[in-house]
Amino acid sequence: QVQLVESGGGLVQAGGSLQLSCAVSGRTSNYAMGWFRQAPGEEREFVAAIRTNGGRTYYANFVKGRFTVSRDNAKNTVNLQMNSLKPEDTAVYSCAVGFRSDTFAYPRSTASYDWWGQGTQVTVSS
């Protein structure tokens, strides 16, 4: 059984920064973690992903240069540093983990992940 615990959401003004963290327990080696977000009335969309083995990262075009995903393997934690936040970044952000070959092949797809965090609200005011 894998458990994901997210932290770090909140309210911030446009241009500000937040860091989200996702702690993994249960199975902690060689996985990929994705971050996704869902705004009210919208579909869940890919934000960023990272492989814990090797550290390869993936980003959605709309966050490149603003968000950074990183891992701390010793703490079994993945962080999402979000800078230059915009009101359109307002959403519930969720982390997800997968261990399958599909996860590594298609890290931008929600279908590639098997375990999900509870989600954390990020609100960016204008």
Side-chain angles (χ1 to χ4, degrees), residues 27-108:
R27 181 177 171 183
T28 58
S29 62
N30 196 25
Y31 58 87
M33 177 177 287
W35 285 94
F36 294 81
R37 70 185 188 185
Q38 188 168 23
E42 302 290 333
E43 292 188 354
R44 182 176 284 175
E45 63 179 353
F46 170 76
V47 176
I50 188 169
R51 295 185 181 188
T52 57
N53 189 9
R56 182 173 178 179
T57 57
Y58 308 82
Y59 294 96
N61 287 336
F62 57 79
V63 302
K64 284 183 179 178
R66 300 191 298 127
F67 292 10
T68 302
V69 62
S70 62
R71 73 198 194 282
D72 185 337
N73 287 345
K75 296 181 179 179
N76 298 320
T77 299
V78 172
N79 300 314
L80 182 67
Q81 177 66 40
M82 305 186 295
N83 299 327
S84 302
L85 284 161
K86 306 174 182 179
E88 52 264 42
D89 293 319
T90 295
V92 174
Y93 285 71
S94 301
C95 60
V97 163
F99 302 88
R100 298 179 275 122
S101 57
D102 282 357
T103 311
F104 298 103
Y106 307 106
R108 295 177 173 84

Side-chain angles (χ1 to χ4, degrees), residues 10-31:
L11 173 65
V12 65
Q13 289 188 334
S17 299
L18 282 175
Q19 184 179 74
L20 306 183
S21 295
C22 185
V24 183
S25 62
R27 181 177 171 183
T28 58
S29 62
N30 196 25
Y31 58 87

